[in-house]
Amino acid sequence: QVQLVESGGGLVQAGDSLRLSCAASGRTFSSYAVAWFRQATGKEREFVAAISWSGDFTYYADSVKGRFTISRDNAKNTAYLQMNSLKPEDTALYYCAARSNGAGKYINIWGPRTTEYGYWGQGTLVTVSS
C-alpha cells in the first residue's frame, strides 16, 4: 500500500519555474514507477511524465519535453517534477501516481495510461499567469 501527497504548487508567472514533490508512505515505494498527470478545468486528465523505479527510464509528453524533468530520491521516498519555462497552458491540477510494476521497459507505452497506476495523490494546483 502506498499513499501519495503532492506539494509545491502555486501561482507563478509565465517563464517562471516550480518544483513539485510527491511524498510517499510505504516501504515499497522504491520499487514503484511514478508518474505525473495533470488536469485542467473542463479537460481530461493528461499524462505529463513517468519514471521507472530506478530512475534510469523516463518518458515525457511532447508538450513538456525539454521544459520539465521528472526525478526521484528513493532514500527520501519522494518523486519530483521540475517545471521550467512555464506557460499559461500548463495551468492545471497536478497529480502524482504510482505503479506497482516499476520496471522501465516499454515506459513509452504504459507510462501515459492512467489505468496502469493503482495509487494516486490528491493533487496540487499550478496556476501560470500570462
Side-chain angles (χ1 to χ4, degrees):
Q1 189 76 7
V2 174
Q3 292 183 323
L4 306 173
V5 179
E6 302 94 336
S7 63
L11 172 63
V12 297
Q13 293 186 331
D16 285 351
S17 298
L18 273 178
R19 188 176 80 158
L20 305 184
S21 297
C22 172
S25 63
R27 291 173 291 179
T28 58
F29 175 74
S30 60
S31 67
Y32 284 61
V34 174
W36 288 92
F37 288 79
R38 66 187 182 186
Q39 188 166 17
T41 303
K43 295 187 177 181
E44 292 187 354
R45 191 169 299 189
E46 66 170 355
F47 169 76
V48 175
I51 188 167
S52 63
W53 73 269
S54 64
D56 290 342
F57 294 87
T58 58
Y59 185 65
Y60 296 90
D62 288 343
S63 59
V64 306
K65 201 173 296 182
R67 299 188 298 124
F68 291 11
T69 302
I70 189 171
S71 62
R72 65 189 298 161
D73 185 339
N74 287 337
K76 295 183 178 180
N77 272 11
T78 303
Y80 304 96
L81 184 68
Q82 177 67 43
M83 305 186 295
N84 299 329
S85 302
L86 282 161
K87 304 175 181 180
E89 51 263 44
D90 295 318
T91 295
L93 190 60
Y94 282 72
Y95 296 91
C96 172
R99 179 182 190 253
S100 57
N101 182 345
K105 193 175 182 181
Y106 303 126
I107 191 171
N108 59 315
I109 295 174
W110 56 258
R113 297 175 177 171
T114 57
T115 54
E116 292 287 337
Y117 302 89
Y119 305 95
W120 292 82
Q122 294 300 306
T124 184
L125 182 62
V126 174
T127 304
V128 184
S129 64
S130 58

